[in-house]
């Protein structure tokens, strides 16, 4: 019998991805097609980095970046990419032509959905006219209704400046005309808020910072919720012109905004409030911070805290009840009802001028998470310990709760928590929750 020979197939491990950095390349031309209502200067800046490519790897990477930048402009419904060798007059050696072809958004778009707030969910309807004047302007009408807030109506005009010399900082201005109506059953009043909000926002992407400067002018009117509304709340009832300067600063350094396992997050809000520009007598400040440290097997430790304070010049402004803090509830102190961890008067929550809360959490994936596939990644379990108090920065009148629970991810920003809470210390009159508590929101302590 004769012997045979066999040839070994190349193993997967022996294969290598091609090294595109070895191929010199440059971009001669960039075409951006499919635009009818958009001005050329609004899209030109997005493609500038393509002309700095030195090799084919640079071309691929920068093309993907340009696609992301074009989609961020808010003018395209979809976008396709074509990379071809450069031909014709002016074509250079190793030159390429990159073409982006897409379909512009319709003149009017709309959607119906659900919006998640702090312990609140709302059905929303939105009509939008994107790219109104050809440079990314956006006019939107938003209506929402929830079980906490009666109704919200917003008309918002937004103007981005991504195409300008400072476009890397994502500057954007907006003007919003709003009408909000919200009951506050824990304090037996209803608030109607009508006015206008001017906002200028910008970011420092390299540092992870985002900033928003706002001016709000509106008429806020308080109403007694029912016949049991006490007199000290009725004193604040009636219309009131309110002028507010607001700064919101945020640092995002987490690996995930819903279930982070590492990183730092901080958000601060400062408001200067008065009846008019010459009488800004109230300073309202709130700071939220969070630290996440990874452990093993997907577990992590989270330490978070929130602090708020109000400073008042009594010669300029009185302090209405709707400006106070009302700690308590799943977002601030678990194991307490909404506004259940603040001073009470005549049987209702009277609010406070300052408060602080902290939370220590041990987060972990579901047991046997690997058997649930991707669905299991939407859940996390946690054990927690919350402490806090109000109207003092000491440990006097300390409230505390321990417990365990399970959380479910909703999209990229919000989550639902279902916890078993055991209040450990509380004050007389506090409204505690011994047992199961439900919470929904995007920022928890």
């Amino acid at each position: 019998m004769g012997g045979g020979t066999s040839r070994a197939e190349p193993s997967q491990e022996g294969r290598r991805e091609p090294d595109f950095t070895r191929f010199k390349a440059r971009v001669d031309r960039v075409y951006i097609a499919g635009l009818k209502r958009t001005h050329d200067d609004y899209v030109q800046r997005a493609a500038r980095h393509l002309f700095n490519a030195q090799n084919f790897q640079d071309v691929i990477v920068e093309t993907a970046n340009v696609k992301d930048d074009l989609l961020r402009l808010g003018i395209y419904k979809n976008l396709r990419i074509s990379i071809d060798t450069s031909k014709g007059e002016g074509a250079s050696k190793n030159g390429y032509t990159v073409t982006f072809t897409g379909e512009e958004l319709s003149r009017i778009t709309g959607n119906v959905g659900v919006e998640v707030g702090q312990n609140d969910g709302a059905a929303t309807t939105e009509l939008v006219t994107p790219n109104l004047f050809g440079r990314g302007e956006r006019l939107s009408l938003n209506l929402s209704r929830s079980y906490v807030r009666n109704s919200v109506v917003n008309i918002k005009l937004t103007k981005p400046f991504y195409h300008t010399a400072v476009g890397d900082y994502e500057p954007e201005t907006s003007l919003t005309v709003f009408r909000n109506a919200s009951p506050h059953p824990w304090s037996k009043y209803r608030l109607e808020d009508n006015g206008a909000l001017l906002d200028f926002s910008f970011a420092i992407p390299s540092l992870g910072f985002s900033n928003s400067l706002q001016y709000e002018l509106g008429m806020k009117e308080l109403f007694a919720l029912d016949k049991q509304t006490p007199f000290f709340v009725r004193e604040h009832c009636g219309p009131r012109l309110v002028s507010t300067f607001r700064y919101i600063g945020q640092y995002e350094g987490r690996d995930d905004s819903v279930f982070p396992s590492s990183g730092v997050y901080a958000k601060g809000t400062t408001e200067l409030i008065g009846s008019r520009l010459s009488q800004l007598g109230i300073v309202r400040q709130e700071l939220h911070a969070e630290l996440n440290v990874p452990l093993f097997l997907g577990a992590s430790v989270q330490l978070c805290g929130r602090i708020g304070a109000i400073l008042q010049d009594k010669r300029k402004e009185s302090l209405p009840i709707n400006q106070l803090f009302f700690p308590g509830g799943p977002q601030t102190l678990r194991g307490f009802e909404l506004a259940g961890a603040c001073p009470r008067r005549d049987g209702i929550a009277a609010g406070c001028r300052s408060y602080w809360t902290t939370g220590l959490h041990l987060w972990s994936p579901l047991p046997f998470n690997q058997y649930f596939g991707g669905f299991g990644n939407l859940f996390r379990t946690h054990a927690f310990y919350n402490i806090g108090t109000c109207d003092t920065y000491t440990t006097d009148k300390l409230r505390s709760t321990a417990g365990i629970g399970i959380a479910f991810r909703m999209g990229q920003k919000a989550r639902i928590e279902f916890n078993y809470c055991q209040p450990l210390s509380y004050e007389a009159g506090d409204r505690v929750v011994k047992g199961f508590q439900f919470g929904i929101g995007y920022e928890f302590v």
Side-chain angles (χ1 to χ4, degrees):
M1 296 178 63
T5 61
S6 63
R7 183 178 62 183
E9 294 293 330
S11 65
Q12 292 288 342
E13 295 180 358
R15 296 179 182 177
R16 293 183 179 179
E17 293 294 330
D19 182 9
F20 290 117
T21 60
R22 297 186 296 116
F23 304 103
K24 292 183 178 181
R26 57 163 293 176
V27 175
D28 289 339
R29 299 180 183 88
V30 176
Y31 293 106
I32 301 176
L35 299 177
K36 298 178 181 179
R37 307 194 315 271
T38 305
H39 295 282
D40 291 343
D41 61 349
Y42 188 61
V43 297
Q44 287 173 349
R45 187 174 184 273
R48 68 195 187 283
H49 294 306
L50 266 173
F51 297 102
N52 297 327
Q54 302 294 319
N55 53 64
F56 197 68
Q57 179 72 23
D58 292 343
V59 174
I60 295 174
V61 172
E62 293 300 338
T63 298
N65 292 337
V66 172
K67 180 182 179 181
D68 291 341
D69 287 344
L70 288 173
L71 291 174
R72 187 166 57 92
L73 295 177
I75 57 176
Y76 278 113
K77 184 184 299 183
N78 51 56
L79 200 59
R80 298 181 301 277
I81 302 173
S82 173
I83 302 176
D84 198 359
T85 55
S86 186
K87 300 180 179 67
E89 185 179 352
S92 62
K93 184 181 179 181
N94 304 318
Y96 289 86
T97 297
V98 181
T99 303
F100 299 89
T101 305
E103 182 182 357
E104 283 182 312
L105 290 168
S106 304
R107 291 186 179 275
I108 298 179
T109 64
N111 63 77
V112 177
V114 176
E115 184 180 75
V116 176
Q118 291 293 67
N119 221 51
D120 185 19
T124 65
T125 302
E126 185 178 37
L127 292 176
V128 182
T129 57
N131 202 21
L132 189 60
F133 303 118
R135 290 186 175 89
E137 300 86 359
R138 174 187 175 99
L139 181 65
S140 62
L141 171 65
N142 183 281
L143 301 95
S144 68
R145 189 173 185 86
S146 72
Y147 72 94
V148 173
R149 296 177 299 180
N150 280 340
S151 62
V152 177
V153 179
N154 292 333
I155 300 176
K156 183 177 182 179
L157 176 64
T158 304
K159 168 61 180 174
F161 294 92
Y162 304 143
H163 61 297
T164 65
V166 293
D168 291 342
Y169 298 99
E170 303 177 8
E172 186 174 281
T173 61
S174 65
L175 176 63
T176 305
V177 179
F178 59 85
R179 176 181 175 83
N180 303 333
S182 56
H184 297 255
W186 49 83
S187 294
K188 295 290 185 179
Y189 72 87
R190 178 170 59 90
L191 175 65
E192 289 191 2
D193 195 359
N194 304 278
L197 173 67
L198 179 63
D199 178 275
F200 173 69
S201 61
F202 65 96
I204 308 177
S206 60
L207 300 178
F209 280 104
S210 61
N211 305 269
S212 179
L213 298 170
Q214 301 178 352
Y215 175 68
E216 179 182 324
L217 181 64
M219 185 68 70
K220 299 181 186 293
E221 187 167 6
L222 270 68
F223 298 88
L225 193 61
D226 53 40
K227 294 181 180 180
Q228 283 72 43
T229 302
F231 180 73
F232 84 91
V233 176
R234 294 177 183 270
E235 288 181 319
H236 300 286
C237 292
R240 174 188 173 94
L241 181 67
V242 179
S243 176
T244 305
F245 285 96
R246 184 181 298 111
Y247 168 74
I248 303 173
Q250 181 175 292
Y251 171 75
E252 179 61 85
R254 300 173 294 182
D255 58 350
D256 186 81
S257 59
V258 181
F259 293 136
S261 59
S262 65
V264 176
Y265 171 77
K267 179 181 178 181
T269 303
T270 299
E271 295 179 318
L272 194 57
I273 305 168
S275 58
R276 52 182 182 268
L277 292 179
S278 60
Q279 290 190 344
L280 298 171
I282 300 173
V283 179
R284 193 176 190 271
Q285 296 178 303
E286 199 164 17
L287 175 66
H288 177 96
E290 182 181 305
L291 172 65
N292 300 277
V293 179
L295 297 176
F296 49 86
L297 299 178
S300 63
V301 171
Q302 182 183 75
L303 177 64
C304 47
R306 191 178 301 167
I307 187 171
I310 296 175
L311 304 176
Q312 176 193 10
D313 185 347
K314 296 182 179 180
R315 297 171 299 177
K316 290 185 176 181
E317 281 295 323
S318 60
L319 187 61
I321 189 171
N322 62 288
Q323 297 289 357
L324 297 173
F325 297 110
F326 292 87
Q331 282 76 35
T332 52
L333 274 174
R334 295 170 182 82
F336 292 80
E337 295 181 3
L338 285 173
C342 64
R344 308 189 72 81
R345 182 176 171 186
D346 296 339
I348 66 168
C352 58
R353 293 171 179 262
S354 65
Y355 78 100
W356 65 266
T357 62
T358 61
L360 180 64
H361 302 256
L362 175 62
W363 290 95
S364 66
L366 286 177
F368 310 106
N369 184 54
Q370 65 272 21
Y371 298 107
F372 295 98
F375 183 71
N377 295 328
L378 300 177
F379 293 86
R380 288 290 189 278
T381 60
H382 73 138
F384 62 87
Y385 178 62
N386 280 141
I387 59 173
T389 190
C390 57
D391 283 333
T392 178
Y393 294 109
T394 67
T395 55
D396 293 340
K397 300 181 179 180
L398 193 68
R399 282 91 165 172
S400 63
T401 304
I404 57 174
I406 187 170
F408 172 73
R409 173 192 290 271
M410 293 187 62
Q412 298 301 313
K413 292 184 178 180
R415 72 176 186 247
I416 295 174
E417 287 189 2
F418 191 60
N419 300 315
Y420 182 84
C421 306
Q422 180 58 52
L424 303 177
S425 60
Y426 46 89
E427 294 295 306
D430 287 351
R431 300 294 179 90
V432 299
V433 178
K434 297 181 179 180
F436 290 102
Q437 186 178 40
F438 172 85
I440 180 172
Y442 54 88
E443 205 170 75
F444 293 79
V445 175

